[in-house]
Amino acid sequence: MFTTGLVSISFRGETPQTILRACCEAGLSRMEWGGDVHVPVGDIARAKRVGEETRAAGMDPFSYGSYFRVGVSPLDDWQRTMDTALALGARQIRVWAGEKNSQDMDEADWSALIETAAWMAYMAREAGLVVATECHNNTATNEYHAAEKLLRAVNLPNFRTHWQPNQFCSDAYNLEAARALLPWMENVHVFYWRGHEHFPLAEGEAIWLEYLRVVGERPLLLEFMHDGRLESLPETARTLNAWVRKLEDGAKLV
């Protein structure tokens, strides 16, 4: 069964309470709370409060969107990051794989990144947490072959990845990337961008139905409305939930 939710940084200017009300009205059930504004790293009291409010609203605060950069952020901050995620009630932590694109890294860069990522994953495993990189430009996982290289090298069951289409690449590349990363894929971030242009999600139905058939029943998290407005969330969520029903109904007919 597909589940749908939101990445809270879509609305950095809104309070967690406002975001939760909008998500409930939009029929979303999962939340990735961002670690920059809504649930700052180290603010344990706030993390507990936001987690409790999320569950009280009938939503699952299952993911913590940290801005910890593997191999760049101080290692002392990793325990604080994990403690914040646990206080929130999250079961996974999003991290970024360094600060260089993969093509700009030498073997020493790769060795250091892999060693640090493995250490972090071991620490997280002891706490019952999953660590998930993101396929993001200006990190080592900017390209899917590089993401796969890192995941295979760390080779721990709780070291995973989020996935989203790269708006600067072709549909064929993105489908290939989704298939390649499927064994490690945790969440899917959902938006419809082409290059620097942002479009209403409904305009991407054809390609997104292809993506969803590949990624299968993973959490689908809306990230950024095309116009940045909270008022656009209900319609965007209806679009995503309609696609999910279409796929689930189709599966029942097979």
Side-chain angles (χ1 to χ4, degrees), residues 173-193:
Y173 167 90
N174 286 319
L175 285 165
E176 189 176 290
R179 293 187 184 101
L181 296 176
L182 195 60
W184 302 276
M185 193 183 298
E186 281 290 302
N187 304 339
V188 177
H189 289 174
V190 180
F191 51 80
Y192 185 53
W193 299 355

Side-chain angles (χ1 to χ4, degrees), residues 41 66-81 94-99 112-113 116-117 119-120:
V41 174
S66 85
Y67 286 87
F68 192 99
R69 286 185 180 265
V70 183
V72 178
S73 298
L75 291 181
D76 288 347
D77 286 349
W78 184 234
Q79 185 64 56
R80 295 171 64 242
T81 301
R94 188 283 308 274
V95 299
W96 283 3
E99 59 183 358
L113 183 73
T116 302
W119 176 84
M120 290 168 57

